[in-house]
Amino acid sequence: MTVPSLEIISTQLESPNLRDRMVALASLRHISPEDAVPLIKKVLDDESLQLRSMAVFALGIKQTPECYPILVKILETDPDYGIRADAAGALGYLGDNRALEALSRAFYEDTDWLVRFSAAVSLGNIKDPRARTILIQALDSKEVVIQQAAISALGEIKSIDSVDNILRFAQAEDWLVRQRLAEALGNLPTPKSISALKYLEKDSHPHVAEAARISLKRLEEIDKQV
């Protein structure tokens, strides 16, 4: 496949035709981060929300030192909640611990559940144990998807201290919550995790039972390595 030159992509990104701009942005996936980021910046304020969303996501993939401050600014100031949620997600891809503060603030202060959900997921992705306090609070959210994100993230940050906090979801009505719990417990090797997983292995929903089986196997492997 022939990758267009940077000049061609740059010109295409200024085309009045949205499809041209989208194709140009997509073609940046074959370009080095150093060359791609200046071009991505050209469409961060595009009139098309779809293109802006793609550009914000691209900043999480094409990582240069410039991406972090740009994404934090978008998360904190963009008027569109979808774009703020994209920025929170992209910060998770960067895996930069400095994002803990911006993501925490978004979780506490943003009025839109999608942004808060995205922030909770990313707090798991950056794997910073300091996120525990926020994630424990997120377990009490009225939005079930935020509870799911918090359970997964507590597993991601390997917060052994949080096993008791998440075990109350073993009989949650929503099977996806139970599945997230089964997956998270696979990262949290404690005797309580094993008993809970044996219970979840008999769950009426096949996805939950399967996730519990996989997690039990993972804990057995961890146990062998100790």
Side-chain angles (χ1 to χ4, degrees), residues 91-157:
L91 281 167
Y93 278 104
L94 287 185
D96 187 325
N97 282 40
R98 289 177 300 165
L100 177 82
E101 195 183 326
L103 291 168
S104 305
R105 210 165 33 242
F107 184 81
Y108 284 128
E109 295 171 11
D110 205 285
T111 50
D112 195 276
W113 71 266
L114 186 63
V115 181
R116 289 169 42 241
F117 165 76
S118 201
V121 171
S122 284
L123 284 167
N125 289 341
I126 62 172
K127 296 184 168 48
D128 190 320
R130 292 173 299 165
R132 180 183 184 268
T133 311
I134 298 155
L135 295 169
I136 293 293
Q137 290 180 6
L139 295 174
D140 293 326
S141 171
K142 290 192 287 288
E143 283 91 6
V144 174
V145 288
I146 291 180
Q147 293 176 351
Q148 289 172 22
I151 292 167
S152 294
L154 285 164
E156 292 277 354
I157 67 171

Side-chain angles (χ1 to χ4, degrees), residues 11-218:
T11 308
Q12 265 192 308
L13 286 170
E14 289 165 14
S15 164
N17 182 318
L18 173 60
R19 191 176 175 282
D20 288 347
R21 300 199 302 278
M22 291 186 93
V23 168
L25 187 62
S27 65
L28 289 174
R29 68 171 164 269
H30 306 290
I31 306 290
S32 74
E34 290 69 26
D35 288 330
V37 169
L39 295 172
I40 294 166
K41 284 162 65 181
K42 292 178 77 158
V43 288
L44 281 174
D45 294 316
D46 198 89
E47 62 192 28
S48 158
L49 274 178
Q50 191 182 357
L51 188 68
R52 290 183 66 212
S53 176
M54 282 172 65
V56 169
F57 177 74
L59 287 176
I61 306 299
K62 297 289 181 186
Q63 301 176 6
T64 73
E66 209 178 352
C67 296
Y68 173 76
I70 294 172
L71 288 169
V72 169
K73 188 176 179 207
I74 293 170
L75 173 61
E76 292 177 344
T77 61
D78 202 277
D80 186 89
Y81 72 86
I83 299 293
R84 295 198 305 277
D86 290 333
L91 281 167
Y93 278 104
L94 287 185
D96 187 325
N97 282 40
R98 289 177 300 165
L100 177 82
E101 195 183 326
L103 291 168
S104 305
R105 210 165 33 242
F107 184 81
Y108 284 128
E109 295 171 11
D110 205 285
T111 50
D112 195 276
W113 71 266
L114 186 63
V115 181
R116 289 169 42 241
F117 165 76
S118 201
V121 171
S122 284
L123 284 167
N125 289 341
I126 62 172
K127 296 184 168 48
D128 190 320
R130 292 173 299 165
R132 180 183 184 268
T133 311
I134 298 155
L135 295 169
I136 293 293
Q137 290 180 6
L139 295 174
D140 293 326
S141 171
K142 290 192 287 288
E143 283 91 6
V144 174
V145 288
I146 291 180
Q147 293 176 351
Q148 289 172 22
I151 292 167
S152 294
L154 285 164
E156 292 277 354
I157 67 171
K158 297 187 166 37
S159 178
I160 301 269
D161 297 350
S162 305
V163 170
D164 285 346
N165 303 84
I166 59 175
L167 283 183
R168 64 182 157 113
F169 293 97
Q171 293 176 312
E173 278 179 44
D174 188 320
W175 67 267
L176 270 168
V177 173
R178 303 195 305 275
Q179 184 182 353
R180 294 289 170 270
L181 173 62
E183 290 162 354
L185 289 171
N187 289 321
L188 304 169
T190 73
K192 281 184 177 177
S193 302
I194 292 167
S195 340
L197 285 168
K198 285 180 175 165
Y199 171 79
L200 289 165
E201 208 178 7
K202 302 184 185 76
D203 196 274
S204 56
H205 198 288
H207 290 351
V208 179
E210 177 63 13
R213 266 193 296 280
I214 292 166
S215 283
L216 274 170
K217 204 171 286 180
R218 183 183 298 146

